[in-house]
Amino acid sequence: MQKRFIKQPLVLAVIAGLSSVSAASLAQSNQDAGNQDIEKIEVNGFRGSLLKARDLKREALGSQDSIVAEDIADFPDLNLADALQRIPGIAITREGGEGRQISLRGLGPDFTQVQLNGMEALGTSSSAMDSRGSISRSRAFDFNIFASELFNQVDVSKSFSANMDEGGIGGTVNLVTAKPFDYDGFKGAVSGQIGKNTLADGTSPRIAGLISNTWGDFGALVSVAYSKRNTSEQGFDTYRWRLRNSQGSDISALSEADQAAVNSGELRFSRGSRYSTFDNEQTRVGATVALQYRPSDNFNIGFDGLYGVLDNARDEFHLQSRGSSSTALGCTGPTYVNIQEVANEAVCSSLLDIEYNAGNEVIYSHFDNAALHSESRQQYADTTFTQMVLNSEWNVNQDFTLTALLGTSSSEFETGSTKVYLESFGEQTIDYRQDRFYGVNTYGYDVTDVNEYRYHEIDLEEDQIDNSFDIAKIDGVYILGGASAISAGLSLKTFENEAWENSTGNLLRTEWQEGDVSDIVDPSLTYTYTGHKEQEWLAVNVNGVLNAFGIDSNLAKAEYSDKVTEDTLGAYLQYEFEADFAGGFLRGNIGARYYDTAISAFGVVNDELAEVTQDYSGVLPTVNIAWDATDNLVVRASLGKNITRPSLSALNAAGTVENDPNSTNGLSISAGNPNLEPFESNNFEMALEYYFEEVGYVSFAYFNKSIDNFIVTDTTEVAYGDTGYALSFLGEVDELGNPQSADTIFTVIQPINTDNSDIVGYELAFQRDFDFLPAPFNHLGMIANYTYADGEALYRNVGNTGVDEYKSFPGLSEHSGNFTLYYEQDTWGARVSAAYRSDYISNVSSNSDEDERGFHATTYVDFSAFYNVSEQVKVTIEGTNLTDVREEQYSDSADRLYNTTKNGRTFYVGATYSF
């Protein structure tokens, strides 16, 4: 067999797996140290990035894909998650038209561990929409916090080895910021872009800059990025669908058959049935600092600092039904003299006409005196992220190398919301006959007329979620001869998550309804909202209303918080080897990782602060083998075990202990479960990869994940002493009159570890330059990949039916794929990309409104092009969501409308200057 295209010494391969230093920096630092011949190919631009990513993939022991940016603003997409979706096996969720979270090989965002410069991190933001989870305590990393310009490499490790931090059953994503020794001497660059969204007002600027230099054995780099982005998501949504009877509405205008159908309570009516717009002005600021010092060939030390701010200033506008269960049925509201003549009598709607389908879903309804609300909402949602990492490498002698990392990071998320509701009554039709996933409402009165409305209520809410990591680790590599090595390491990690929540609802509602405070709407505080493409309606100046009624939207911080602290000790031992084998070259590692995690969970139980502690430990064996069968063919196999820790909301200690045996639920506990064990997965994968001589490869990978300790919410009978709660919460006697004690059986409703589940699938990937075609078509190239994943879990009490049912994993799209066609010459290039994701479940429910909810399939198409004016100046144009995709969220396996939005097309023009 001929010499491999690139063959680093074994010690470098091992250190690369331990270090936060980028591959480019490692190669640069060792370029003069060795005498081996490394073939050098100078290829720049998009094709050059593909070449470097291909080589990183080929040299990895396990399954790995990378994205490499050669220069500032050279990431293939404007957003990190959008760029990651081009990697086989990755699918993303979006917020405001840009990527937010990722799923990897069929497992949702909680199952992917994210590292920044080699250190685990967690960044939290939120969604404006309740249907997308809004604010949640999860382990999912929000990639939209950072500008892509701050990073020059992203590595996605789908295999697990003992020297990696445990925690990512789906995989591990390492985001790497630029280092001064990534560049040869002085480097400077500045980029600017201006963007416009077709639905949003205003323009969206992006600015980034980088300056780096090396002075012999010392280097320093600073980069900054700023962007302001205006977005608008608008559409039609519901609060799901509910079985209802007439609820007091007058249905005498209906036929006898229709009246009987309504009175049976077997018809489902859409709730909310509203036109909605979610506007956002998003400001993102980021900065990095990197220092490197190499006083000798045997020692180096580096510092990485990262700072990021994501501020969202959101405005929402909704025109919605707010009768019984938020349908248009029923009787509600205060007395308005222009509607009711009798004081203190509720307004009841009249159902004049109705149509329903074979599934008993009401697809058309015509009401009079229906309750209709205009909701105006202001919300801020701000995230501040900071990280500092100190890393070092010491070649003690020719055979022994030590690496160390010390780091700290924090993510602080704060959000506040103010909602003002106006109420009116009148004629309304709700029609889903033409489009099942986009209703059409009509109104028999002027919904922009202030005289049709009265004040109804004001709702305030504030939330805060803080995450922090403190990590220290040391690793050693000892070379056993020239073809094998042994590595070992020790790590200490403290993770803390703390959340506060405070809310006040229905402010002034009673006073307005009883006449103590006038509910007449001041016209000077209103305006006609024209941002929705389908309908205009009356909205209010939220701050003006608050000022008019003397309401302060700043709530006092909650007295108690929900808090989870995890202290983890990790240690590993790993053997690395290289050998000639069967005419090829065999590389591999065999190892085991030990972890021990102690948990302390704090929460309010029965109005008292409670603490529950628990610990768990385990050993994770791993084997990774890569066989370079020929100069072009690599065969990989991996076998190992990994874990993912439970979601933070599931570990919550807060809850209620009911110690009265005569209460409705008897002796019972409803709470989170700090005693949860982590998900455990036995993973196997095998891959074949064939590499072309220049840019490109074709690959096939099969993966199988057998997951234990799947977590579901269930009702169980547990001895009180096994719950972890203090004995002080016990009452006097049980149902039989016996004194309550640690042995007393309680009915516990909480998340528990139960069943085993499997995820299986495969990936196909193809990347190729078409250099075999005649000019000018020889500058064409193509990237394509497809992933299939399948897996189910057993859920309890699905749809509140009392029946357990197998359904897909949350976040699992059975099919996903990407396609990119590019053309690149020295002076200019262009590419068009498409990303497809099939439908997926986001949540399985025990609510009688639905058994599940999820999203329909989407295909996003993007475009970018560049022109090199000179060696220093490049101009660019980019377009995202060119087909203006409709995001459709469904409710129930019957596939009913939950939320449909569009966020418009976005276009950017810009320029980059390098010096």
Side-chain angles (χ1 to χ4, degrees):
M1 175 183 175
Q2 297 179 1
K3 189 173 185 180
R4 290 184 295 155
F5 178 69
I6 295 179
K7 182 176 182 300
Q8 299 281 14
L10 178 63
V11 65
L12 288 185
V14 178
I15 293 174
L18 307 177
S19 173
S20 64
V21 180
S22 68
S25 187
L26 272 176
Q28 177 71 22
S29 65
N30 291 277
Q31 182 176 355
D32 300 327
N35 295 319
Q36 68 175 48
D37 296 326
I38 298 178
E39 182 176 350
K40 295 182 181 179
I41 297 179
E42 293 296 333
V43 182
N44 298 315
F46 181 64
R47 183 177 279 110
S49 297
L50 294 179
L51 177 60
K52 292 180 180 180
R54 184 200 74 159
D55 291 341
L56 290 171
K57 178 180 180 67
R58 180 170 182 170
E59 292 302 308
L61 268 180
S63 177
Q64 175 179 310
D65 289 281
S66 299
I67 303 171
V68 178
E70 290 197 323
D71 208 342
I72 190 170
D74 266 2
F75 246 79
D77 293 271
L78 297 171
N79 171 277
L80 285 172
D82 290 331
L84 283 167
Q85 72 177 327
R86 313 298 177 193
I87 287 177
I90 288 184
I92 69 173
T93 63
R94 289 177 167 84
E95 183 66 31
E98 68 174 358
R100 179 186 172 194
Q101 297 176 346
I102 70 170
S103 296
L104 181 53
R105 284 185 165 177
L107 288 167
D110 276 356
F111 292 88
T112 298
Q113 184 184 89
V114 176
Q115 297 182 345
L116 291 170
N117 292 317
M119 174 185 167
E120 185 177 357
L122 178 60
T124 300
S125 65
S126 70
S127 171
M129 303 183 193
D130 293 338
S131 65
R132 294 181 185 168
S134 186
I135 304 162
S136 62
R137 293 178 67 196
S138 72
R139 296 185 190 268
F141 190 91
D142 289 328
F143 288 87
N144 56 346
I145 293 174
F146 299 108
S148 61
E149 291 92 336
L150 299 177
F151 301 89
N152 68 348
Q153 185 173 321
V154 178
D155 297 317
V156 180
S157 299
K158 304 173 186 176
S159 304
F160 180 65
S161 59
N163 62 356
M164 298 171 61
D165 290 343
E166 77 283 348
I169 288 176
T172 298
V173 176
N174 187 28
L175 309 175
V176 183
T177 57
K179 313 291 188 290
F181 284 103
D182 291 349
Y183 306 102
D184 186 13
F186 179 80
K187 171 68 177 180
V190 62
S191 71
Q193 293 178 296
I194 192 73
K196 182 70 176 74
N197 179 270
T198 55
L199 288 183
D201 295 330
T203 56
S204 300
R206 294 173 66 103
I207 303 171
L210 177 148
I211 187 165
S212 173
N213 202 3
T214 57
W215 300 269
D217 52 16
F218 178 75
L221 179 148
V222 176
S223 70
V224 294
Y226 166 86
S227 66
K228 179 167 285 189
R229 183 168 170 264
N230 293 302
T231 65
S232 179
E233 287 191 85
Q234 57 179 252
F236 193 97
D237 61 68
T238 72
Y239 306 156
R240 302 178 299 280
W241 299 57
R242 182 166 291 178
L243 294 171
R244 295 278 88 182
N245 57 28
S246 66
Q247 300 295 307
S249 291
D250 181 0
I251 60 173
S252 60
L254 302 181
S255 67
E256 291 186 5
D258 287 343
Q259 289 185 47
V262 172
N263 286 328
S264 72
E266 296 180 357
L267 296 184
R268 285 191 182 270
F269 290 80
S270 59
R271 303 170 57 212
S273 311
R274 65 184 191 175
Y275 288 115
S276 295
T277 302
F278 303 84
D279 295 332
N280 187 21
E281 183 180 86
Q282 179 189 85
T283 303
R284 187 159 40 210
V285 179
T288 72
V289 175
L291 305 174
Q292 290 179 296
Y293 178 55
R294 292 176 177 159
S296 70
D297 292 337
N298 298 322
F299 180 78
N300 68 73
I301 187 169
F303 170 82
D304 292 296
L306 174 62
Y307 176 77
V309 172
L310 176 69
D311 289 346
N312 294 286
R314 296 168 175 159
D315 293 295
E316 295 179 28
F317 304 92
H318 310 280
L319 188 61
Q320 58 206 8
S321 298
R322 284 292 293 270
S324 173
S325 293
S326 295
T327 67
L329 292 163
C331 304
T332 186
T335 296
Y336 297 153
V337 294
N338 61 329
I339 297 177
Q340 297 285 94
E341 295 182 358
V342 180
N344 300 318
E345 183 174 323
V347 179
C348 297
S349 65
S350 299
L351 180 54
L352 306 177
D353 195 8
I354 190 172
E355 290 185 30
Y356 44 92
N357 60 20
N360 280 347
E361 299 163 354
V362 177
I363 57 175
Y364 173 79
S365 53
H366 181 189
F367 289 90
D368 197 13
N369 279 348
L372 193 70
H373 282 201
S374 168
E375 175 188 340
S376 303
R377 181 189 189 191
Q378 285 187 350
Q379 182 190 39
Y380 67 87
D382 302 337
T383 301
T384 301
F385 184 95
T386 57
Q387 183 197 58
M388 292 181 288
V389 179
L390 190 67
N391 56 75
S392 65
E393 177 189 332
W394 178 28
N395 298 319
V396 181
N397 55 43
Q398 184 176 354
D399 299 321
F400 184 46
T401 300
L402 287 173
T403 62
L405 182 146
L406 185 66
T408 183
S409 71
S410 67
S411 167
E412 299 176 355
F413 169 73
E414 295 182 344
T415 182
S417 166
T418 302
K419 300 178 182 179
V420 177
Y421 292 90
L422 306 181
E423 185 172 52
S424 67
F425 294 87
E427 185 180 2
Q428 178 187 15
T429 64
I430 307 170
D431 192 349
Y432 300 100
R433 294 174 297 183
Q434 300 302 314
D435 190 336
R436 181 174 176 79
F437 271 80
Y438 205 104
V440 175
N441 290 349
T442 60
Y443 309 98
Y445 65 105
D446 184 1
V447 292
T448 68
D449 184 358
V450 67
N451 296 311
E452 297 287 349
Y453 293 88
R454 296 294 187 272
Y455 286 118
H456 185 264
E457 68 181 85
I458 297 174
D459 296 338
L460 305 177
E461 181 177 357
E462 289 186 342
D463 298 87
Q464 181 176 339
I465 300 175
D466 292 349
N467 306 299
S468 67
F469 277 97
D470 294 300
I471 297 176
K473 63 170 73 175
I474 185 169
D475 303 89
V477 181
Y478 186 77
I479 303 300
L480 305 172
S484 63
I486 188 167
S487 59
L490 185 70
S491 65
L492 296 172
K493 176 168 59 179
T494 295
F495 168 65
E496 186 174 289
N497 171 273
E498 191 167 10
W500 295 263
E501 178 184 354
N502 197 1
S503 61
T504 301
N506 294 326
L507 284 175
L508 293 179
R509 180 173 180 174
T510 300
E511 291 85 343
W512 280 329
Q513 289 185 349
E514 294 182 354
D516 295 334
V517 177
S518 174
D519 59 11
I520 296 176
V521 181
D522 183 350
S524 68
L525 300 177
T526 68
Y527 60 96
T528 298
Y529 179 70
T530 60
H532 200 287
K533 301 301 181 183
E534 307 294 336
Q535 178 69 45
E536 298 179 355
W537 63 89
L538 190 75
V540 302
N541 179 329
V542 173
N543 288 331
V545 173
L546 295 183
N547 292 334
F549 291 97
I551 296 175
D552 184 0
S553 62
N554 296 308
L555 302 178
K557 192 171 185 177
E559 183 178 358
Y560 297 113
S561 65
D562 296 325
K563 182 178 178 180
V564 174
T565 299
E566 295 174 341
D567 293 307
T568 299
L569 167 68
Y572 75 91
L573 184 67
Q574 184 167 277
Y575 175 70
E576 309 261 350
F577 62 89
E578 292 182 345
D580 293 324
F581 176 75
F585 193 81
L586 187 68
R587 302 170 282 141
N589 62 44
I590 301 172
R593 184 174 188 87
Y594 170 78
Y595 64 92
D596 187 302
T597 298
I599 296 177
S600 296
F602 301 84
V604 176
V605 179
N606 294 10
D607 299 322
E608 294 183 24
L609 186 63
E611 178 184 6
V612 180
T613 61
Q614 112 105 330
D615 61 83
Y616 54 81
S617 60
V619 177
L620 307 173
T622 64
V623 178
N624 295 279
I625 295 174
W627 177 40
D628 300 312
T630 69
D631 288 342
N632 303 96
L633 179 64
V634 179
V635 182
R636 300 185 193 277
S638 295
L639 182 65
K641 188 175 183 179
N642 200 352
I643 66 167
T644 286
R645 294 181 170 85
S647 130
L648 296 162
S649 58
L651 292 172
N652 189 7
T656 301
V657 176
E658 180 54 71
N659 58 20
D660 180 1
N662 298 315
S663 66
T664 302
N665 295 321
L667 299 179
S668 61
I669 298 175
S670 178
N673 187 0
N675 293 308
L676 287 170
E677 297 288 329
F679 297 89
E680 294 181 348
S681 178
N682 292 308
N683 305 322
F684 169 75
E685 68 175 280
M686 193 165 186
L688 297 174
E689 301 166 1
Y690 183 85
Y691 292 86
F692 302 115
E693 293 299 328
E694 298 295 338
V695 176
Y697 65 91
V698 59
S699 68
F700 170 83
Y702 167 82
F703 57 89
N704 184 309
K705 301 177 185 292
S706 180
I707 303 174
D708 295 335
N709 295 334
F710 193 75
I711 297 173
V712 299
T713 298
D714 202 2
T715 301
T716 56
E717 304 295 321
V718 179
Y720 184 85
D722 294 334
T723 66
Y725 288 105
L727 296 179
S728 61
F729 294 126
L730 289 173
E732 296 181 359
V733 296
D734 62 15
E735 291 93 337
L736 301 177
N738 299 316
Q740 294 183 27
S741 69
D743 297 325
T744 301
I745 301 300
F746 273 65
T747 299
V748 180
I749 305 169
Q750 64 180 176
I752 62 171
N753 296 109
T754 55
D755 310 295
N756 305 333
S757 304
D758 293 329
I759 287 184
V760 297
Y762 59 86
E763 298 169 354
L764 295 169
F766 176 83
Q767 180 182 308
R768 184 71 164 94
D769 275 354
F770 295 158
D771 50 3
F772 52 86
L773 294 177
F777 304 106
N778 58 328
H779 295 288
L780 283 168
M782 185 180 78
I783 306 170
N785 62 67
Y786 165 77
T787 300
Y788 170 82
D790 183 40
E792 292 184 326
L794 182 62
Y795 297 88
R796 303 298 193 267
N797 189 26
V798 174
N800 199 30
T801 61
V803 176
D804 300 341
E805 186 176 345
Y806 282 96
K807 287 182 176 290
S808 176
F809 269 79
L812 186 151
S813 290
E814 189 170 325
H815 308 281
S816 61
N818 291 274
F819 177 85
T820 298
L821 183 67
Y822 61 90
Y823 184 93
E824 186 167 281
Q825 296 185 2
D826 290 339
T827 56
W828 71 278
R831 62 183 181 271
V832 60
S833 299
Y836 170 78
R837 180 178 190 179
S838 65
D839 59 304
Y840 64 94
I841 287 175
S842 60
N843 182 56
V844 176
S845 174
S846 58
N847 186 302
S848 58
D849 284 349
E850 59 184 1
D851 57 7
E852 67 181 52
R853 71 181 65 158
F855 289 84
H856 286 170
T858 56
T859 301
Y860 279 82
V861 179
D862 305 322
F863 168 83
S864 66
F866 74 89
Y867 177 74
N868 290 324
V869 179
S870 66
E871 291 186 0
Q872 289 78 36
V873 179
K874 177 173 68 175
V875 295
T876 60
I877 182 171
E878 302 186 47
T880 61
N881 191 21
L882 297 182
T883 55
D884 196 12
V885 173
R886 202 165 85 166
E887 287 270 357
E888 296 178 351
Q889 188 174 8
Y890 71 87
S891 171
D892 200 76
S893 54
D895 198 32
R896 305 184 188 102
L897 165 66
Y898 193 171
N899 185 19
T900 293
T901 59
K902 283 189 172 186
N903 55 70
R905 303 170 178 87
T906 302
F907 299 93
Y908 279 91
V909 294
T912 301
Y913 176 69
S914 300
F915 52 93

